[in-house]
């Protein structure tokens, strides 16, 4: 295999908006993406906008052949196959879902290649680990003489305040070896050698109590503001007492992650009031606030953002509360308790609507979700991309930092194989 200065030649399958490519950049390993492949035209426009010099093919993977893959001369493959056949909100048709065919075709090609890649990384939704597709994947890896390790990780473990549990697999072809102990069991703890790369982790003592959550008692400022320290402390006293019913607990599967950064570090700043106003939650959704995950900038957790976010409310992602008025939090707490007891979300008075209105709830902006997914500040959308398209592709994307750490883990002493 032809190599140049120990540079990895990478094939990016299901390339989407470039999450894997950005993870490669963050990992700092020497690399060249020889080809990226995706069939989604909206995602491809965003990918090309950010990586204009990468060879991007808008085609189905079912059309690839082993000979064509061999001619690409790549030694690393990164891929995130369609998750819909395995997600909990789908029908879980698994191998019977037409969207699985392309991945199964790639597995067939892999077995026929004369020079299969030395390194492999796959990301998918939690649920893939119990699928027949995963069983066929592992069977193929064993037949092709790969060693591998499976993981389930959430970004919360990496210091990122977003719950997004995903399945990951890293594989090396013999004679490559890993520098941590492999097990047939699916792991939920990071290998000790990878913890040196977790630069988002911070001391839990940083409670963020001086964080200013509003500007001129409005919606915009998210910067540290010592002059309002007493006001914010009073607000947090209210918030900590009454907000537990408004947002999900700081736990994930019974585990607390106190070393996550606060959400405020991922939010946009210095935007105009008019800019934020476009993300305010429409009043037609106010009665649904009882089923929402409502967070404020000092918290260290948000729920997973899905492709439905922005135009769908239930189960699509967290809403952010921009009011710093403690009484409004208590009133919202009382209203939610009352609504749950009466099981009434349809016959509200104007006074009840005003309780929700005072919370100043808004959607996270696309840039803020991209920040939580650890896309770099250089990432951007083509001007013609609609708001709905932005939310949709971000909901289908991956966490860049998590993948970057796994690429580093995969790369340990891999230069011995080049």
């Amino acid at each position: 295999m032809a190599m140049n200065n120990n540079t990895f030649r990478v094939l990016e399958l299901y390339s989407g908006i470039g999450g894997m490519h950005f993870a490669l950049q963050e990992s700092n390993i020497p690399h060249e993406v020889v080809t990226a492949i995706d069939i989604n035209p909206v995602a491809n426009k965003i990918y090309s906008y950010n990586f204009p010099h990468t060879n991007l093919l808008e085609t189905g993977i079912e059309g690839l052949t082993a000979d064509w893959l061999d001619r690409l001369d790549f030694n690393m493959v990164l891929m995130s196959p369609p998750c819909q056949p395995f997600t909990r909100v789908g029908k879980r048709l698994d191998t019977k879902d037409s969207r699985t065919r392309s991945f199964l075709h790639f597995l067939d090609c892999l077995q026929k290649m004369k020079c299969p890649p030395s390194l492999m990384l796959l990301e998918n939704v939690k649920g893939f680990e119990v699928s027949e597709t995963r069983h066929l994947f592992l069977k193929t890896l064993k037949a092709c003489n790969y060693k591998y390790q499976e993981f389930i990780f959430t970004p919360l473990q990496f210091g990122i305040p977003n719950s997004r549990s995903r399945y990951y697999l890293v594989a090396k072809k013999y004679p490559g070896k890993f520098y941590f102990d492999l097990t047939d069991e699916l792991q939920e703890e990071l290998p000790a050698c990878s913890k040196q790369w977790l630069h988002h982790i911070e001391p839990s003592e940083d409670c963020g109590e001086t964080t200013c959550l509003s500007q001129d008692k409005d919606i915009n400022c998210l910067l540290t503001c010592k002059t309002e320290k007493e006001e914010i402390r009073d607000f947090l006293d209210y918030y900590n007492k009454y907000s537990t019913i408004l947002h999900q607990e700081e736990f994930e599967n019974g585990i607390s992650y106190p070393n996550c950064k606060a959400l405020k570090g991922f939010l946009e700043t210095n935007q105009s009031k008019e800019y934020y106003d476009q993300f305010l939650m429409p009043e037609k959704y106010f009665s649904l606030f009882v089923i929402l995950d409502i967070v404020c900038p000092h918290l260290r957790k948000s729920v997973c953002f899905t492709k439905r976010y922005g135009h769908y409310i239930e189960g699509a992602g967290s809403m952010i509360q921009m009011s710093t008025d403690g009484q409004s939090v208590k009133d919202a707490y009382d209203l939610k308790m009352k609504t749950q007891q009466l099981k009434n979300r349809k016959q509200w008075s104007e006074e009840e609507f005003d309780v929700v209105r005072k919370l100043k709830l808004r959607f996270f902006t696309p840039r803020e979700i991209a920040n939580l997914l650890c896309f770099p500040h250089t990432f951007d959308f083509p001007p013609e991309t609609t708001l709905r398209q932005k939310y949709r592709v971000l909901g289908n994307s991956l966490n860049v930092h998590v993948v970057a750490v796994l690429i580093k883990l995969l790369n340990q002493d891999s230069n011995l194989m080049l």
Side-chain angles (χ1 to χ4, degrees):
M1 180 174 291
M3 298 303 302
N4 180 22
N5 297 325
N6 290 342
T7 296
F8 285 97
R9 291 175 58 82
V10 182
L11 172 63
E12 193 179 359
L13 299 178
Y14 312 99
S15 49
I17 60 176
M20 291 286 190
H21 199 145
F22 281 117
L24 273 170
Q25 290 184 338
E26 182 183 326
S27 74
N28 286 321
I29 69 167
H31 67 273
E32 175 191 356
V33 177
V34 295
T35 298
I37 300 176
D38 202 292
I39 201 170
N40 186 316
V42 174
N44 285 341
K45 287 181 180 178
I46 298 168
Y47 187 106
S48 293
Y49 191 75
N50 289 277
F51 300 106
H53 303 299
T54 298
N55 179 35
L56 173 63
L57 302 179
E58 189 170 305
T59 185
I61 291 172
E62 296 93 326
L64 306 184
T65 66
D67 288 342
W68 185 86
L69 290 169
D70 275 323
R71 289 195 298 272
L72 279 182
D73 191 24
F74 65 97
N75 62 351
M76 178 188 290
V77 60
L78 305 177
M79 53 185 166
S80 182
C83 64
Q84 294 89 342
F86 320 108
T87 182
R88 63 180 182 178
V89 297
K91 296 181 180 180
R92 294 190 175 183
L93 296 179
D94 202 346
T95 56
K96 297 181 176 63
D97 195 306
S98 61
R99 290 166 291 194
T100 309
R101 292 174 190 166
S102 62
F103 179 62
L104 297 179
H105 176 77
F106 173 74
L107 296 184
D108 183 60
C109 289
L110 186 67
Q111 297 179 76
K112 297 176 180 177
M113 290 180 66
K114 295 177 182 178
C115 297
S118 302
L119 306 176
M120 190 178 303
L121 186 152
L122 178 141
E123 182 265 3
N124 211 284
V125 71
K126 187 177 181 180
F128 182 85
E129 75 279 6
V130 294
S131 69
E132 175 64 17
T133 302
R134 173 256 191 177
H135 172 73
L136 295 173
F137 182 33
L138 299 189
K139 183 178 179 181
T140 300
L141 291 178
K142 292 173 183 177
C144 294
N145 211 7
Y146 283 90
K147 297 178 180 179
Y148 60 84
Q149 183 62 61
E150 300 173 281
F151 301 98
I152 293 285
F153 290 139
T154 172
L156 297 169
Q157 294 169 262
F158 295 72
I160 303 158
N162 183 236
S163 173
R164 197 178 184 86
S165 293
R166 290 293 187 268
Y167 169 94
Y168 301 92
L169 179 143
V170 290
K172 289 186 178 183
K173 189 168 177 60
Y174 180 84
K177 64 178 182 178
F178 288 95
Y179 288 80
F180 59 91
D181 293 332
L182 299 181
T183 172
D184 290 335
E185 300 296 321
L186 190 144
Q187 295 297 298
E188 297 186 9
E189 290 292 329
L190 277 163
C193 58
S194 64
K195 294 183 180 179
Q196 60 185 307
W197 305 313
L198 305 184
H199 60 259
H200 286 283
I201 296 289
E202 66 177 27
S204 58
E205 290 81 10
D206 178 20
C207 65
E209 69 175 6
T210 62
T211 301
C212 172
L213 306 183
S214 68
Q215 179 177 13
D216 297 326
K217 310 302 178 290
D218 209 332
I219 193 171
N220 301 330
C221 178
L222 304 163
L223 303 176
T224 300
C225 184
K226 294 182 180 178
T227 59
E228 296 190 9
K229 183 173 181 178
E230 294 299 326
E231 176 189 343
I232 298 304
R233 182 182 288 118
D234 290 344
F235 166 71
L236 292 181
D237 286 343
Y238 264 100
Y239 195 90
N240 292 330
K241 184 176 181 179
Y242 294 107
S243 69
T244 53
I245 196 174
L246 301 182
H247 69 85
Q248 288 194 1
E249 292 183 319
E250 302 289 315
F251 296 89
E252 185 82 359
N253 298 326
I255 302 173
S256 175
Y257 297 98
N259 298 111
C260 283
K261 287 184 176 180
L263 285 166
K264 64 185 175 68
F266 297 82
L267 302 181
E268 292 194 84
T269 60
N270 300 325
Q271 296 283 5
S272 67
K273 180 179 183 301
E274 289 72 26
Y275 174 80
Y276 289 106
D277 282 350
Q278 67 180 311
F279 298 104
L280 289 173
M281 189 172 81
E283 295 198 0
K284 65 180 180 180
Y285 296 132
F286 276 12
S287 61
L288 295 175
F289 104 100
V290 296
I291 59 173
L292 297 179
D293 179 58
I294 298 173
V295 299
C296 79
H298 85 283
L299 291 183
R300 300 177 186 272
K301 182 183 177 184
S302 57
V303 301
C304 180
F305 295 97
T306 75
K307 65 181 181 181
R308 302 178 297 171
Y309 193 72
H311 65 278
Y312 194 84
I313 295 293
E314 187 173 358
S318 300
M319 302 292 292
I320 188 163
Q321 170 195 330
M322 302 308 298
S323 168
T324 59
D325 175 50
Q327 184 63 42
S328 69
V329 177
K330 182 181 183 305
D331 292 343
Y333 171 90
D334 292 339
L335 176 59
K336 185 167 183 175
M337 293 293 291
K338 172 186 173 183
T339 302
Q340 290 178 335
Q341 291 171 359
L342 299 178
K343 297 181 180 181
N344 172 27
R345 297 206 318 245
K346 296 183 178 179
Q347 298 179 357
W348 278 15
S349 67
E350 180 60 27
E351 181 181 356
E352 289 167 320
F353 273 95
D354 196 49
V355 169
V356 183
R357 189 177 293 118
K358 288 179 179 178
L359 292 177
K360 296 182 179 178
L361 300 179
R362 70 164 175 87
F363 293 96
F364 282 74
T365 71
R367 179 66 255 181
E368 290 167 345
I369 296 176
N371 291 343
L372 284 166
L373 294 177
C374 297
F375 279 80
H377 293 300
T378 55
F379 169 77
D380 205 354
F381 296 96
E384 67 273 16
T385 313
T386 68
L387 184 60
R388 185 163 183 167
Q389 287 173 333
K390 292 177 182 179
Y391 282 131
R392 187 174 184 85
V393 296
L394 288 168
N396 282 332
S397 194
L398 49 77
N399 190 285
V400 171
H401 178 61
V402 175
V403 174
V405 170
L406 290 175
I407 290 174
K408 290 181 180 181
L409 191 67
L410 186 61
N411 179 53
Q412 280 187 312
D413 288 315
S414 290
N415 60 316
L416 299 176
M417 300 184 296
L418 296 181

